[in-house]
Amino acid sequence: DDPSAAEFGRQHADGNETVPTVHIGEQVLVNPTPNDVISVMQAQVPHLVPEGVEPRGEGKVSGAVKRLLGG
């Protein structure tokens, strides 16, 4: 319903309006897994991750973030 949000999604999803498209810190994730969202939040905005929340396994994005950060 929000034209600017739809445009943001298209810019990051090869022209598609894929949902969810999530912007976390410096990262934009298109159709991420919950684990990917948690991993990126831990890397980009750890103060927003509730205590005790951990990803259950490594998704594609979380693995890439881990490698990029030297983990």
Side-chain angles (χ1 to χ4, degrees):
D1 293 335
D2 181 344
S4 63
E7 177 58 27
F8 178 85
R10 287 191 298 272
Q11 288 175 355
H12 295 281
D14 297 323
N16 298 307
E17 291 184 13
T18 303
V19 292
T21 299
V22 184
H23 184 207
I24 303 170
E26 300 294 320
Q27 294 271 62
V28 176
L29 308 174
V30 177
N31 202 21
T33 67
N35 290 338
D36 292 336
V37 172
I38 293 167
S39 293
V40 172
M41 285 183 69
Q42 287 173 328
Q44 296 286 322
V45 289
H47 61 284
L48 296 178
V49 179
E51 188 174 325
V53 171
E54 293 290 330
R56 292 188 180 156
E58 194 170 277
K60 291 188 288 185
V61 174
S62 61
V65 169
K66 184 188 256 183
R67 289 189 297 281
L68 286 170
L69 296 175

